[in-house]
Each structure stands twice: as structure tokens, then as C-alpha cells.
Amino acid sequence: SRMKKVLLVDDEIVIRENIRNCVDWEGEGFLYCGDASDGELALPMIEQWKPDILITDIKMPFLDGLELSRIVRKRMPDMKIVILSGHDEFDYARAAMRIGVTEYCLKPVSSSELVGILHAVSHAIDADRREKERLHLLRQQESSNSALTRDKLLGDVCRGLITTVDALQLASELSVPLTANYY
């Protein structure tokens, strides 16, 4: 699986620098896109980079982590969100879970803890993608199968190999409009 892109949003420069510098991003299989000090500054970066994983502090000036998560959820539903919170507040955690945040962790978070979380999220992304691919293939098969049976039905009708009753029954199952005023 390709490298997952990560973007960090936190208003505390010390935390941004710690996270940026203490993780061996490429070694762990991630691409660090950069960081922003608040949600408003982060939005254009998110649009530009389309990160796979967004790590965001929950309490920030201007646009906080919950608001940012809500916006991202709507615009890019596949993006995984990891919330960092220095506030052990149950209401916040609950609100974050309702939005569909993937992970919620308390600060201070160690780099090894963060890497563990990122790997778990990365596996979830891979699983999601595999499932999407599987559904896509299923749908392709279904549509080609129904095209085949439709062609066979029309061929059988033209060659008189099928009774009118059977033809009409099969046509309705395949949602082929067979009845018309004239042929």
C-alpha cells in the first residue's frame, strides 16, 4: 500500500515541532505534508494535499478541531481524523465520536503511541479501500451479467425460442421494456 499522507493541526508550536521531529515519518511509511496552527489555515492545505489522515488538536482559536472535523467529514468522508486533546472532557470525546472521528487521544502523546495509532488508522484505510474495490468489482460483474441475460432474452424473442408469457416475465425481472404498441 502506498505511503499515507498526514497533516497536523495544533495551535501549540512546541507540540507541532515535537510531532514533526520525533516521528520517523518515511521510515514508518507516512508522508508528512506539513502542519497548521489552526483550522482555518489548515483548510486550504487539506484541499491541496488531500491527506489520508488528519491529526488535529481539539481546542484551537478561530476554528477548533471539532468544527474542522465536521467540515472535513462533509467534504472528504474517506479522510481519517485523529483528535488530540489536552482536555480530558467526556463531552468533547463524545462529540468527536458522533462526528465520526477515528481516534481520540489525550495529550501529551508520545511519538511511539502516535505511531501506533497511525498504523492502526492506516490499516483501517487499507481495509476500507479493499472493501470499496470488492464492491466495485461486484457491481461490474452484476451489470455485465444482466447485459448478457438481456441480450439473450432479446435474441430468444427474435428467434421465437421463448413464449410471450415467459418473455414478459423475464423482461420485467431484467427491467427490459418489452411491451410496445408495435414492433
Side-chain angles (χ1 to χ4, degrees), residues 11 18 28 30 44 46 60 101 117 140 145-146 149 165 174 180:
D11 60 321
N18 273 345
E28 295 292 348
F30 296 96
I46 291 169
M60 297 180 291
V101 164
I117 286 170
Q140 274 184 328
N145 285 349
S146 69
T149 41
V165 177
L174 296 168

Side-chain angles (χ1 to χ4, degrees), residues 152-164 166-167:
K152 182 181 178 332
L153 165 68
L154 294 174
D156 288 352
V157 168
C158 293
R159 288 195 293 278
L161 299 174
I162 186 171
T163 67
T164 308
D166 289 348

Side-chain angles (χ1 to χ4, degrees), residues 68-84:
L68 177 63
S69 299
R70 276 193 194 100
I71 293 168
V72 166
R73 267 275 144 280
K74 279 203 186 77
R75 288 191 200 168
M76 302 167 192
D78 289 343
M79 193 182 301
K80 301 286 185 210
I81 302 170
V82 175
I83 290 253
L84 298 177

Side-chain angles (χ1 to χ4, degrees), residues 36 38 76 94 116 161 169-170:
D38 73 66
M76 302 167 192
R94 237 184 3 203
L161 299 174
Q169 175 58 41
L170 197 53

Side-chain angles (χ1 to χ4, degrees), residues 2 5 45-53 76 79:
R2 63 170 180 77
K5 293 180 287 188
M45 293 175 75
I46 291 169
E47 295 286 348
Q48 181 195 341
W49 287 100
K50 300 192 172 32
D52 300 290
I53 304 170
M76 302 167 192
M79 193 182 301

